Amino acid sequence: MDFFKLKENNTSIKQEFTAGFTTFLAMMYIVPTNAIIMSKTGMPIDALITATALATILATVLNGLWANTPVAMSVGMGLNAYFTFGLVIGMNIPWQTALGIVFLSGILFVALSFTNFRIWVVKSIPIDLRRAISAGIGCFISFIGLQQIGIIANNDAVLVSLGDIKNSNVLLGIIGLLIVMAFWSWKIKGAFMLAVITTSIIAWVFGMSPVPTEFLSTPASIEPIFLQFDIKSVLFDASGVFTLALLPVIIIFFVTDLFDSIGTLTGVGSKAGLFTGKNQNDSKRLEKTLEADALATVGGSLIGVSTTTTFVESASGVAAGGRTGLTAVFCGLLFILTLFLLPFFKAIPANAIYPILVMVGVLMFTELTNVNFKDPAICVATFFIVILMPLTYSITNGLAFGFLSYFIVRVLRKEWEHINLGIIVLSIISFVIFLVH
């Protein structure tokens, strides 16, 4: 096991396995959760369950072997919701075309992973705006979760209002939300998956959902979604003319994945003493982890899932002692077990899943605690990013308003030292987004 440099990192095979198992329990929920969310696009849920498990296995093991970091990867929460509700349902884009967007954003990520562009992007955008983006996406996916549960309902007079909380399915979702909040606040290991199971059992006992007659089966085929991405429709319009109409969306997937990964790796790294920047090896491990993330996104789009990214649940494995890529390898291999749980995952009611989406949004929203609201430009931009993502049902619109308002306030206040080329480029792109809207 010298490949993982266990002695150098003061760890052991047993410790790494324990850490990998801990991370697996913490993020096992992603398989049924992603499958149910993405199935709203019309994609078959059976194939999505297998594809999500495969994407998690390949991405996590790849990172363990390539970067030697205890970081697990899977289909990103937030971007899968944007894929489903923002692009396919909101913009009426076929899921094949949406997969093409994910593929191209992944190719862009891979191409730029071997340059200094990533560092340039990260340094160009103030850290407070990056935090606002995370909080905005959290608000967006929580809004989607509350809407899908039925707590929020459409109202022609005032756009949205409180749903029918007397409805049994809505009550199930509310119970599920209370359960996941309780398990998370009690810091129970595998809180999300345990909440899903507990809520499902309640649904089965009270006849709200069919009780599964079996729990294990052979994995479903991914043939219906494998290699079904459509690049042509992303680059050309119906008449065959080259168009960049969907370029902003490609950039949104790329930038969001980049920021999500950087933020997650910073948090996980601080717990393990990784990515501190104190030596060249730290920088290489960070770069290799981002490279694995980029390659995994391309691979995921081929398999048939949305953008993959690093998972904050990796912190639970790090807290359990994980220090090397062996933790990630063990975690990835454990996800093989989920390939055979198709009947169980299919029996989980949707309202046992959507509370998880709300809770993930809550955790992302906490990034606002570190935002400097005393800075007028940051304050205005953060407000527009956070409020307009859910209200316009679009991450793209929220980011565009945010970058433009930041730039305008800086210009009005003549704070030229805070305006760099990256901000100017992003502001121009944001302006173009509204021109072609």
Side-chain angles (χ1 to χ4, degrees):
M1 290 297 174
D2 186 60
F3 175 83
F4 295 104
K5 302 179 180 179
L6 299 182
K7 289 185 178 179
E8 181 181 319
N9 288 281
N10 194 30
T11 184
S12 64
I13 295 176
K14 180 181 179 181
Q15 185 171 311
E16 294 293 293
F17 175 79
T18 300
F21 184 66
T22 301
T23 302
F24 167 69
L25 290 178
M27 61 180 286
M28 182 184 172
Y29 72 90
I30 189 58
V31 177
T33 301
N34 182 65
I36 287 178
I37 290 173
M38 292 189 66
S39 67
K40 292 286 186 177
T41 65
M43 301 171 75
I45 191 170
D46 293 35
L48 282 169
I49 288 172
T50 301
T52 304
L54 287 176
T56 306
I57 295 166
L58 295 174
T60 303
V61 172
L62 170 65
N63 180 67
L65 297 175
W66 179 253
N68 194 24
T69 55
V71 175
M73 299 180 179
S74 187
V75 185
M77 293 290 288
L79 283 175
N80 59 355
Y82 183 49
F83 177 98
T84 299
F85 299 101
L87 297 187
V88 179
I89 296 177
M91 296 175 64
N92 199 29
I93 293 176
W95 61 261
Q96 294 89 340
T97 303
L99 282 178
I101 291 171
V102 173
F103 175 79
L104 290 175
S105 70
I107 291 294
L108 179 62
F109 201 171
V110 170
L112 297 176
S113 288
F114 299 94
T115 69
N116 291 323
F117 180 81
R118 295 167 309 167
I119 298 174
W120 177 75
V121 169
V122 172
K123 288 184 176 180
S124 296
I125 301 176
I127 189 170
D128 283 334
L129 286 189
R130 283 182 263 153
R131 289 166 175 159
I133 291 170
S134 177
I137 294 173
C139 195
F140 176 60
I141 66 175
S142 288
F143 181 81
I144 290 173
L146 292 169
Q147 182 188 47
Q148 293 301 310
I149 290 172
I151 295 175
I152 293 176
N154 178 62
N155 186 307
D156 292 336
V158 293
L159 297 183
V160 293
S161 62
L162 185 66
D164 181 11
I165 59 175
K166 295 180 181 179
N167 181 280
S168 59
N169 283 325
V170 177
L171 283 174
L172 177 66
I174 293 173
I175 291 170
L177 189 55
L178 292 173
I179 291 172
V180 71
M181 287 191 297
F183 286 0
W184 172 78
S185 64
W186 293 335
K187 297 183 179 179
I188 296 175
K189 289 185 178 180
F192 285 5
M193 193 63 214
L194 284 175
V196 169
I197 294 172
T198 304
T199 308
S200 297
I201 291 173
I202 292 173
W204 297 335
V205 169
F206 288 94
M208 299 179 186
S209 184
V211 180
T213 56
E214 57 181 355
F215 289 88
L216 300 174
S217 71
T218 56
S221 171
I222 62 171
E223 184 179 358
I225 59 178
F226 181 63
L227 296 180
Q228 293 300 309
F229 61 96
D230 178 10
I231 299 176
K232 183 179 178 181
S233 296
V234 178
L235 300 176
F236 302 91
D237 61 20
S239 60
V241 177
F242 181 72
T243 176
L244 295 176
L246 292 175
L247 178 62
V249 180
I250 296 173
I251 294 175
I252 291 301
F253 270 91
F254 164 70
V255 171
T256 304
D257 188 16
L258 176 61
F259 289 168
D260 191 7
S261 297
I262 290 291
T264 299
L265 293 175
T266 299
V268 173
S270 64
K271 297 179 183 296
L274 301 172
F275 319 130
T276 59
K278 294 181 179 179
N279 56 65
Q280 189 175 6
N281 187 51
D282 278 351
S283 297
K284 286 185 177 180
R285 295 180 83 176
L286 176 60
E287 289 176 5
K288 284 183 172 291
T289 302
L290 289 172
E291 289 165 4
D293 184 5
L295 290 169
T297 291
V298 175
S301 66
L302 300 180
I303 295 173
V305 294
S306 181
T307 303
T308 60
T309 188
T310 56
F311 260 56
V312 72
E313 283 79 4
S314 301
S316 63
V318 169
R323 292 296 180 270
T324 74
L326 187 56
T327 292
V329 171
F330 278 134
C331 177
L333 294 178
L334 284 166
F335 266 92
I336 293 175
L337 299 174
T338 64
L339 289 169
F340 303 93
L341 293 173
L342 178 64
F344 167 63
F345 287 149
K346 287 185 66 178
I348 295 174
N351 271 9
I353 290 293
Y354 286 116
I356 304 301
L357 198 61
V358 176
M359 195 63 210
V360 170
V362 170
L363 298 181
M364 295 177 72
F365 192 74
T366 59
E367 284 293 318
L368 285 184
T369 59
N370 298 312
V371 173
N372 178 22
F373 286 102
K374 293 181 180 180
D375 184 321
I378 293 294
C379 181
V380 172
T382 298
F383 172 79
F384 281 123
I385 288 172
V386 172
I387 200 72
L388 288 179
M389 281 188 188
L391 290 186
T392 65
Y393 225 69
S394 169
I395 294 176
T396 306
N397 290 336
L399 285 178
F401 264 99
F403 286 129
L404 272 176
S405 60
Y406 176 84
F407 178 76
I408 291 171
V409 173
R410 289 298 189 205
V411 169
L412 292 174
R413 291 173 60 84
K414 299 180 181 180
E415 296 173 336
W416 314 116
E417 70 276 11
H418 293 289
I419 300 176
N420 53 48
L421 180 60
I423 290 295
I424 294 173
V425 170
L426 288 170
S427 297
I428 292 173
I429 292 174
S430 299
F431 183 67
V432 172
I433 287 173
F434 295 121
L435 288 181
V436 301
H437 195 275

mmCIF file of all heavy atoms in Angstrom, residues 243-275:
data_model
loop_
_atom_site.group_PDB
_atom_site.id
_atom_site.type_symbol
_atom_site.label_atom_id
_atom_site.label_comp_id
_atom_site.label_asym_id
_atom_site.label_seq_id
_atom_site.Cartn_x
_atom_site.Cartn_y
_atom_site.Cartn_z
ATOM 1 N N THR A 243 -24.920 28.329 -33.353
ATOM 2 C CA THR A 243 -25.422 29.327 -32.408
ATOM 3 C C THR A 243 -24.759 29.136 -31.051
ATOM 4 O O THR A 243 -24.390 28.025 -30.679
ATOM 5 C CB THR A 243 -26.951 29.210 -32.239
ATOM 6 O OG1 THR A 243 -27.374 30.133 -31.244
ATOM 7 C CG2 THR A 243 -27.357 27.810 -31.833
ATOM 8 N N LEU A 244 -24.627 30.220 -30.325
ATOM 9 C CA LEU A 244 -24.053 30.166 -28.983
ATOM 10 C C LEU A 244 -25.121 30.461 -27.927
ATOM 11 O O LEU A 244 -24.810 30.897 -26.832
ATOM 12 C CB LEU A 244 -22.906 31.179 -28.865
ATOM 13 C CG LEU A 244 -21.685 30.918 -29.755
ATOM 14 C CD1 LEU A 244 -20.678 32.050 -29.594
ATOM 15 C CD2 LEU A 244 -21.034 29.585 -29.398
ATOM 16 N N ALA A 245 -26.361 30.201 -28.279
ATOM 17 C CA ALA A 245 -27.469 30.543 -27.386
ATOM 18 C C ALA A 245 -27.361 29.851 -26.026
ATOM 19 O O ALA A 245 -27.751 30.405 -25.004
ATOM 20 C CB ALA A 245 -28.802 30.186 -28.055
ATOM 21 N N LEU A 246 -26.834 28.629 -26.017
ATOM 22 C CA LEU A 246 -26.739 27.872 -24.771
ATOM 23 C C LEU A 246 -25.362 27.985 -24.119
ATOM 24 O O LEU A 246 -25.096 27.310 -23.118
ATOM 25 C CB LEU A 246 -27.077 26.394 -25.020
ATOM 26 C CG LEU A 246 -28.540 26.106 -25.384
ATOM 27 C CD1 LEU A 246 -28.745 24.635 -25.720
ATOM 28 C CD2 LEU A 246 -29.473 26.518 -24.252
ATOM 29 N N LEU A 247 -24.497 28.832 -24.667
ATOM 30 C CA LEU A 247 -23.172 29.023 -24.081
ATOM 31 C C LEU A 247 -23.244 29.469 -22.621
ATOM 32 O O LEU A 247 -22.479 28.950 -21.783
ATOM 33 C CB LEU A 247 -22.364 30.031 -24.907
ATOM 34 C CG LEU A 247 -20.960 30.371 -24.369
ATOM 35 C CD1 LEU A 247 -20.087 29.112 -24.341
ATOM 36 C CD2 LEU A 247 -20.308 31.458 -25.218
ATOM 37 N N PRO A 248 -24.125 30.422 -22.265
ATOM 38 C CA PRO A 248 -24.201 30.828 -20.858
ATOM 39 C C PRO A 248 -24.496 29.662 -19.911
ATOM 40 O O PRO A 248 -23.956 29.602 -18.812
ATOM 41 C CB PRO A 248 -25.347 31.849 -20.846
ATOM 42 C CG PRO A 248 -25.366 32.404 -22.227
ATOM 43 C CD PRO A 248 -25.026 31.233 -23.109
ATOM 44 N N VAL A 249 -25.343 28.737 -20.369
ATOM 45 C CA VAL A 249 -25.688 27.593 -19.528
ATOM 46 C C VAL A 249 -24.472 26.687 -19.346
ATOM 47 O O VAL A 249 -24.214 26.177 -18.244
ATOM 48 C CB VAL A 249 -26.861 26.796 -20.135
ATOM 49 C CG1 VAL A 249 -27.209 25.615 -19.242
ATOM 50 C CG2 VAL A 249 -28.079 27.689 -20.315
ATOM 51 N N ILE A 250 -23.706 26.478 -20.416
ATOM 52 C CA ILE A 250 -22.486 25.673 -20.334
ATOM 53 C C ILE A 250 -21.522 26.295 -19.334
ATOM 54 O O ILE A 250 -20.935 25.604 -18.490
ATOM 55 C CB ILE A 250 -21.812 25.560 -21.714
ATOM 56 C CG1 ILE A 250 -22.725 24.810 -22.691
ATOM 57 C CG2 ILE A 250 -20.463 24.847 -21.611
ATOM 58 C CD1 ILE A 250 -22.214 24.790 -24.125
ATOM 59 N N ILE A 251 -21.379 27.610 -19.407
ATOM 60 C CA ILE A 251 -20.485 28.325 -18.497
ATOM 61 C C ILE A 251 -20.975 28.211 -17.058
ATOM 62 O O ILE A 251 -20.175 28.049 -16.127
ATOM 63 C CB ILE A 251 -20.355 29.806 -18.916
ATOM 64 C CG1 ILE A 251 -19.638 29.906 -20.271
ATOM 65 C CG2 ILE A 251 -19.594 30.611 -17.858
ATOM 66 C CD1 ILE A 251 -19.562 31.305 -20.829
ATOM 67 N N ILE A 252 -22.306 28.279 -16.871
ATOM 68 C CA ILE A 252 -22.870 28.166 -15.524
ATOM 69 C C ILE A 252 -22.520 26.811 -14.916
ATOM 70 O O ILE A 252 -22.093 26.722 -13.754
ATOM 71 C CB ILE A 252 -24.402 28.345 -15.548
ATOM 72 C CG1 ILE A 252 -24.768 29.784 -15.900
ATOM 73 C CG2 ILE A 252 -25.017 27.954 -14.209
ATOM 74 C CD1 ILE A 252 -24.215 30.826 -14.954
ATOM 75 N N PHE A 253 -22.673 25.743 -15.687
ATOM 76 C CA PHE A 253 -22.329 24.413 -15.184
ATOM 77 C C PHE A 253 -20.845 24.335 -14.837
ATOM 78 O O PHE A 253 -20.465 23.789 -13.801
ATOM 79 C CB PHE A 253 -22.675 23.339 -16.233
ATOM 80 C CG PHE A 253 -24.068 22.805 -16.098
ATOM 81 C CD1 PHE A 253 -25.117 23.381 -16.788
ATOM 82 C CD2 PHE A 253 -24.346 21.722 -15.283
ATOM 83 C CE1 PHE A 253 -26.418 22.907 -16.670
ATOM 84 C CE2 PHE A 253 -25.629 21.225 -15.150
ATOM 85 C CZ PHE A 253 -26.674 21.823 -15.856
ATOM 86 N N PHE A 254 -20.006 24.895 -15.700
ATOM 87 C CA PHE A 254 -18.564 24.868 -15.470
ATOM 88 C C PHE A 254 -18.187 25.660 -14.221
ATOM 89 O O PHE A 254 -17.491 25.160 -13.330
ATOM 90 C CB PHE A 254 -17.831 25.430 -16.697
ATOM 91 C CG PHE A 254 -16.398 25.803 -16.420
ATOM 92 C CD1 PHE A 254 -15.445 24.824 -16.180
ATOM 93 C CD2 PHE A 254 -16.012 27.134 -16.384
ATOM 94 C CE1 PHE A 254 -14.131 25.163 -15.909
ATOM 95 C CE2 PHE A 254 -14.704 27.480 -16.118
ATOM 96 C CZ PHE A 254 -13.759 26.499 -15.878
ATOM 97 N N VAL A 255 -18.647 26.911 -14.156
ATOM 98 C CA VAL A 255 -18.281 27.789 -13.044
ATOM 99 C C VAL A 255 -18.833 27.258 -11.718
ATOM 100 O O VAL A 255 -18.138 27.243 -10.702
ATOM 101 C CB VAL A 255 -18.791 29.232 -13.293
ATOM 102 C CG1 VAL A 255 -18.601 30.091 -12.047
ATOM 103 C CG2 VAL A 255 -18.049 29.854 -14.470
ATOM 104 N N THR A 256 -20.093 26.796 -11.732
ATOM 105 C CA THR A 256 -20.704 26.290 -10.505
ATOM 106 C C THR A 256 -19.982 25.049 -10.001
ATOM 107 O O THR A 256 -19.717 24.908 -8.800
ATOM 108 C CB THR A 256 -22.196 25.970 -10.730
ATOM 109 O OG1 THR A 256 -22.857 27.132 -11.220
ATOM 110 C CG2 THR A 256 -22.855 25.534 -9.429
ATOM 111 N N ASP A 257 -19.643 24.137 -10.921
ATOM 112 C CA ASP A 257 -18.904 22.937 -10.542
ATOM 113 C C ASP A 257 -17.548 23.310 -9.956
ATOM 114 O O ASP A 257 -17.108 22.760 -8.947
ATOM 115 C CB ASP A 257 -18.724 22.024 -11.759
ATOM 116 C CG ASP A 257 -18.124 20.669 -11.388
ATOM 117 O OD1 ASP A 257 -18.129 20.328 -10.190
ATOM 118 O OD2 ASP A 257 -17.651 19.965 -12.289
ATOM 119 N N LEU A 258 -16.874 24.265 -10.589
ATOM 120 C CA LEU A 258 -15.561 24.709 -10.126
ATOM 121 C C LEU A 258 -15.648 25.285 -8.712
ATOM 122 O O LEU A 258 -14.878 24.910 -7.821
ATOM 123 C CB LEU A 258 -14.982 25.743 -11.089
ATOM 124 C CG LEU A 258 -13.631 26.374 -10.680
ATOM 125 C CD1 LEU A 258 -12.555 25.303 -10.566
ATOM 126 C CD2 LEU A 258 -13.222 27.437 -11.693
ATOM 127 N N PHE A 259 -16.597 26.213 -8.503
ATOM 128 C CA PHE A 259 -16.735 26.846 -7.194
ATOM 129 C C PHE A 259 -17.165 25.836 -6.134
ATOM 130 O O PHE A 259 -16.698 25.868 -4.989
ATOM 131 C CB PHE A 259 -17.744 27.990 -7.253
ATOM 132 C CG PHE A 259 -17.246 29.190 -8.007
ATOM 133 C CD1 PHE A 259 -18.105 30.202 -8.371
ATOM 134 C CD2 PHE A 259 -15.913 29.305 -8.362
ATOM 135 C CE1 PHE A 259 -17.654 31.312 -9.063
ATOM 136 C CE2 PHE A 259 -15.446 30.409 -9.062
ATOM 137 C CZ PHE A 259 -16.324 31.415 -9.408
ATOM 138 N N ASP A 260 -18.081 24.939 -6.527
ATOM 139 C CA ASP A 260 -18.561 23.917 -5.603
ATOM 140 C C ASP A 260 -17.392 23.055 -5.147
ATOM 141 O O ASP A 260 -17.225 22.773 -3.947
ATOM 142 C CB ASP A 260 -19.626 23.065 -6.284
ATOM 143 C CG ASP A 260 -20.357 22.149 -5.311
ATOM 144 O OD1 ASP A 260 -20.128 22.273 -4.096
ATOM 145 O OD2 ASP A 260 -21.149 21.309 -5.755
ATOM 146 N N SER A 261 -16.568 22.642 -6.103
ATOM 147 C CA SER A 261 -15.421 21.786 -5.795
ATOM 148 C C SER A 261 -14.405 22.513 -4.926
ATOM 149 O O SER A 261 -13.912 21.961 -3.933
ATOM 150 C CB SER A 261 -14.746 21.311 -7.087
ATOM 151 O OG SER A 261 -15.625 20.510 -7.846
ATOM 152 N N ILE A 262 -14.078 23.745 -5.299
ATOM 153 C CA ILE A 262 -13.103 24.525 -4.531
ATOM 154 C C ILE A 262 -13.588 24.719 -3.092
ATOM 155 O O ILE A 262 -12.836 24.533 -2.124
ATOM 156 C CB ILE A 262 -12.861 25.908 -5.180
ATOM 157 C CG1 ILE A 262 -12.096 25.756 -6.508
ATOM 158 C CG2 ILE A 262 -12.091 26.815 -4.229
ATOM 159 C CD1 ILE A 262 -10.671 25.308 -6.357
ATOM 160 N N GLY A 263 -14.872 25.083 -2.939
ATOM 161 C CA GLY A 263 -15.426 25.302 -1.609
ATOM 162 C C GLY A 263 -15.422 24.036 -0.779
ATOM 163 O O GLY A 263 -15.039 24.045 0.403
ATOM 164 N N THR A 264 -15.844 22.923 -1.377
ATOM 165 C CA THR A 264 -15.880 21.651 -0.663
ATOM 166 C C THR A 264 -14.487 21.193 -0.268
ATOM 167 O O THR A 264 -14.243 20.769 0.872
ATOM 168 C CB THR A 264 -16.548 20.566 -1.537
ATOM 169 O OG1 THR A 264 -17.884 20.963 -1.831
ATOM 170 C CG2 THR A 264 -16.579 19.227 -0.801
ATOM 171 N N LEU A 265 -13.549 21.289 -1.214
ATOM 172 C CA LEU A 265 -12.182 20.848 -0.940
ATOM 173 C C LEU A 265 -11.522 21.704 0.135
ATOM 174 O O LEU A 265 -10.730 21.204 0.940
ATOM 175 C CB LEU A 265 -11.350 20.882 -2.227
ATOM 176 C CG LEU A 265 -11.770 19.869 -3.296
ATOM 177 C CD1 LEU A 265 -10.966 20.071 -4.574
ATOM 178 C CD2 LEU A 265 -11.577 18.450 -2.782
ATOM 179 N N THR A 266 -11.862 22.983 0.155
ATOM 180 C CA THR A 266 -11.320 23.860 1.194
ATOM 181 C C THR A 266 -11.810 23.415 2.567
ATOM 182 O O THR A 266 -11.027 23.329 3.527
ATOM 183 C CB THR A 266 -11.746 25.324 0.952
ATOM 184 O OG1 THR A 266 -11.234 25.747 -0.321
ATOM 185 C CG2 THR A 266 -11.196 26.237 2.030
ATOM 186 N N GLY A 267 -13.106 23.112 2.665
ATOM 187 C CA GLY A 267 -13.678 22.675 3.935
ATOM 188 C C GLY A 267 -13.157 21.322 4.378
ATOM 189 O O GLY A 267 -12.766 21.134 5.530
ATOM 190 N N VAL A 268 -13.133 20.354 3.443
ATOM 191 C CA VAL A 268 -12.647 19.017 3.768
ATOM 192 C C VAL A 268 -11.153 19.062 4.088
ATOM 193 O O VAL A 268 -10.674 18.429 5.029
ATOM 194 C CB VAL A 268 -12.909 18.039 2.595
ATOM 195 C CG1 VAL A 268 -12.261 16.687 2.866
ATOM 196 C CG2 VAL A 268 -14.410 17.869 2.383
ATOM 197 N N GLY A 269 -10.418 19.832 3.289
ATOM 198 C CA GLY A 269 -8.971 19.918 3.472
ATOM 199 C C GLY A 269 -8.579 20.506 4.810
ATOM 200 O O GLY A 269 -7.582 20.099 5.412
ATOM 201 N N SER A 270 -9.366 21.445 5.304
ATOM 202 C CA SER A 270 -9.035 22.079 6.580
ATOM 203 C C SER A 270 -9.117 21.079 7.728
ATOM 204 O O SER A 270 -8.408 21.197 8.730
ATOM 205 C CB SER A 270 -9.979 23.252 6.851
ATOM 206 O OG SER A 270 -11.319 22.795 7.008
ATOM 207 N N LYS A 271 -9.992 20.064 7.584
ATOM 208 C CA LYS A 271 -10.138 19.049 8.622
ATOM 209 C C LYS A 271 -9.015 18.022 8.587
ATOM 210 O O LYS A 271 -8.694 17.403 9.599
ATOM 211 C CB LYS A 271 -11.494 18.331 8.480
ATOM 212 C CG LYS A 271 -12.708 19.235 8.675
ATOM 213 C CD LYS A 271 -13.989 18.464 8.493
ATOM 214 C CE LYS A 271 -15.208 19.381 8.617
ATOM 215 N NZ LYS A 271 -15.344 19.957 9.955
ATOM 216 N N ALA A 272 -8.426 17.837 7.397
ATOM 217 C CA ALA A 272 -7.391 16.811 7.245
ATOM 218 C C ALA A 272 -5.997 17.389 7.075
ATOM 219 O O ALA A 272 -5.031 16.643 6.953
ATOM 220 C CB ALA A 272 -7.726 15.924 6.039
ATOM 221 N N GLY A 273 -5.913 18.713 7.050
ATOM 222 C CA GLY A 273 -4.613 19.335 6.839
ATOM 223 C C GLY A 273 -4.157 19.236 5.399
ATOM 224 O O GLY A 273 -2.960 19.291 5.099
ATOM 225 N N LEU A 274 -5.126 19.082 4.482
ATOM 226 C CA LEU A 274 -4.819 18.996 3.056
ATOM 227 C C LEU A 274 -5.031 20.355 2.396
ATOM 228 O O LEU A 274 -5.756 21.207 2.920
ATOM 229 C CB LEU A 274 -5.730 17.966 2.374
ATOM 230 C CG LEU A 274 -5.678 16.536 2.901
ATOM 231 C CD1 LEU A 274 -6.786 15.714 2.253
ATOM 232 C CD2 LEU A 274 -4.320 15.905 2.618
ATOM 233 N N PHE A 275 -4.444 20.530 1.224
ATOM 234 C CA PHE A 275 -4.662 21.720 0.389
ATOM 235 C C PHE A 275 -4.377 23.016 1.152
ATOM 236 O O PHE A 275 -5.034 24.030 0.951
ATOM 237 C CB PHE A 275 -6.097 21.767 -0.142
ATOM 238 C CG PHE A 275 -6.626 20.448 -0.601
ATOM 239 C CD1 PHE A 275 -7.867 19.994 -0.163
ATOM 240 C CD2 PHE A 275 -5.903 19.649 -1.470
ATOM 241 C CE1 PHE A 275 -8.377 18.777 -0.590
ATOM 242 C CE2 PHE A 275 -6.409 18.417 -1.898
ATOM 243 C CZ PHE A 275 -7.637 17.985 -1.457
#
